[in-house]
Amino acid sequence: FIKELVTNYNFDGFALDYCRYPGDESDFSEATKTAFEQYIGKQLDRFPDDIFIWNTDGTKRTGTYYKKWWEFRSMVIRNFVERVRTEIKNIKPDIQLEYWAASWIHAIYGQGQNWASTEYDFSKEYSWASPEYKNTGFAGLLDTFLCGTYLTKIFGLNDPESIEYGIARAQRIVHGACKVYGTLYALNHKDNIADAVYVCLPQSEGLMVFDIVQVIEFNQWAAIKEGIQRAESL
C-alpha cells in the first residue's frame, strides 16, 4: 500500500498518525508472546503474569519482565517506523516522514511511542523504563515530529500541563534529531488560540492546528493569523 501510494501520487510529506498500540492492555496474543520470547531469548512459563497482573485495588503487580515488555513493544513501533522510512525514501527521497504523538511521552510508554532521541535515557527518570529503553527512540528516523500539545494551558515552562512546557520538553529529548512542530487542538482554544499559536511558532519549527472543523465552526482564522503575525514580529 505504501509503495503504491508514494509511487502514484505527488506529495511533500508522509504522516504517521496513531501509529501505536491501543493501550497497555494489548497485545498479549500468542504471536506477540512468541515474538517477545525471541526478543529476550527466553521462554515464559507464566505469561502474562511475568509482565504484570492487576491487583484488586486497580494497581499493577509487576512481573520479572515488566520493563523489558515496554522496551520490546516500543521497539516494534520503532522498527515499523524504520521500515516505512526506508520504503518511502527508496522511492522518493525528498518526501518528508512525519509522526504525530502526544507530548506527554512519560504516559504513553504503554502504547509503544518513544518519539525521543536515543540520547535520552528514560531509566534515569521513570521506574517503568529499562536502561535499554532509550534504544527504541525513533526521532532520528523522522524528518518532523508533530508534538501533540493538545493542552488547555498555554504558558508555563515549569508547568507540565502547559503547551510551552510540552514543546520545550520535546525539543530537549528529541535533541536535534528531527524538526519539532507544535500542534494544537482548536477545541481547547475557542477564545485564546492566538496565544497558543504565538507560543508554538517561536519555540518550534512549525505549527499544526487540529481540527479544521473546529477552526471553521468557531471562525478562528483571524485569531490564528494574529498569532502568526505576533510570532513573525519577534
Side-chain angles (χ1 to χ4, degrees):
F1 171 75
I2 293 174
K3 182 178 180 180
E4 293 176 354
L5 187 64
V6 175
T7 301
N8 295 331
Y9 297 92
N10 292 319
F11 48 87
D12 298 322
F14 189 98
L16 292 172
D17 195 2
Y18 290 96
C19 176
R20 67 189 190 191
Y21 287 91
D24 59 3
E25 293 186 9
S26 67
D27 159 27
F28 289 89
S29 66
E30 281 300 313
T32 296
K33 173 179 179 289
T34 299
F36 181 58
E37 288 175 334
Q38 291 174 347
Y39 183 79
I40 62 174
K42 297 179 181 179
Q43 287 192 320
L44 302 181
D45 298 323
R46 300 178 61 253
F47 184 84
D49 292 7
D50 282 326
I51 311 303
F52 69 84
I53 59 175
W54 293 105
N55 295 315
T56 55
D57 63 357
T59 59
K60 289 176 182 172
R61 186 186 308 168
T62 61
T64 304
Y65 299 104
Y66 182 75
K67 293 182 180 182
K68 296 301 288 185
W69 177 250
W70 306 125
E71 175 192 321
F72 157 74
R73 283 157 58 92
S74 188
M75 188 63 79
V76 170
I77 301 299
R78 183 254 174 226
N79 289 344
F80 177 77
V81 172
E82 183 178 38
R83 287 174 60 191
V84 172
R85 179 180 180 84
T86 299
E87 189 154 349
I88 66 174
K89 296 289 185 177
N90 283 343
I91 301 169
K92 293 181 180 177
D94 292 337
I95 289 181
Q96 301 288 289
L97 179 61
E98 303 174 350
Y99 186 102
W100 182 94
S103 61
W104 42 94
I105 192 169
H106 62 285
I108 57 176
Y109 64 91
Q111 296 169 332
Q113 292 181 293
N114 181 7
W115 45 261
S117 161
T118 54
E119 298 291 322
Y120 179 59
D121 188 352
F122 286 81
S123 67
K124 293 182 178 179
E125 294 189 51
Y126 303 110
S127 60
W128 48 263
S130 68
E132 294 77 28
Y133 184 85
K134 66 179 183 178
N135 298 328
T136 71
F138 55 78
L141 299 172
L142 306 175
D143 294 298
T144 302
F145 171 60
L146 303 171
C147 182
T149 45
Y150 288 7
L151 302 161
T152 56
K153 294 182 181 179
I154 298 173
F155 300 100
L157 279 172
N158 295 316
D159 185 349
E161 298 300 318
S162 77
I163 293 171
E164 197 168 26
Y165 176 95
I167 293 174
R169 176 167 64 173
Q171 295 283 26
R172 175 172 60 88
I173 67 179
V174 164
H175 202 65
C178 66
K179 292 179 290 187
V180 174
Y181 282 21
T183 76
L184 307 173
Y185 184 35
L187 192 60
N188 286 340
H189 305 289
K190 295 180 184 179
D191 303 316
N192 60 5
I193 198 165
D195 287 339
V197 169
Y198 170 71
V199 163
C200 286
L201 287 175
Q203 299 183 35
S204 73
E205 287 73 33
L207 171 70
M208 183 194 81
V209 179
F210 177 87
D211 166 321
I212 190 68
V213 172
Q214 280 98 30
V215 172
I216 295 170
E217 181 181 357
F218 304 123
N219 193 23
Q220 294 175 310
W221 298 109
I224 291 172
K225 183 178 180 180
E226 177 193 336
I228 293 171
Q229 291 174 332
R230 283 165 56 190
E232 289 179 337
S233 69
L234 292 177

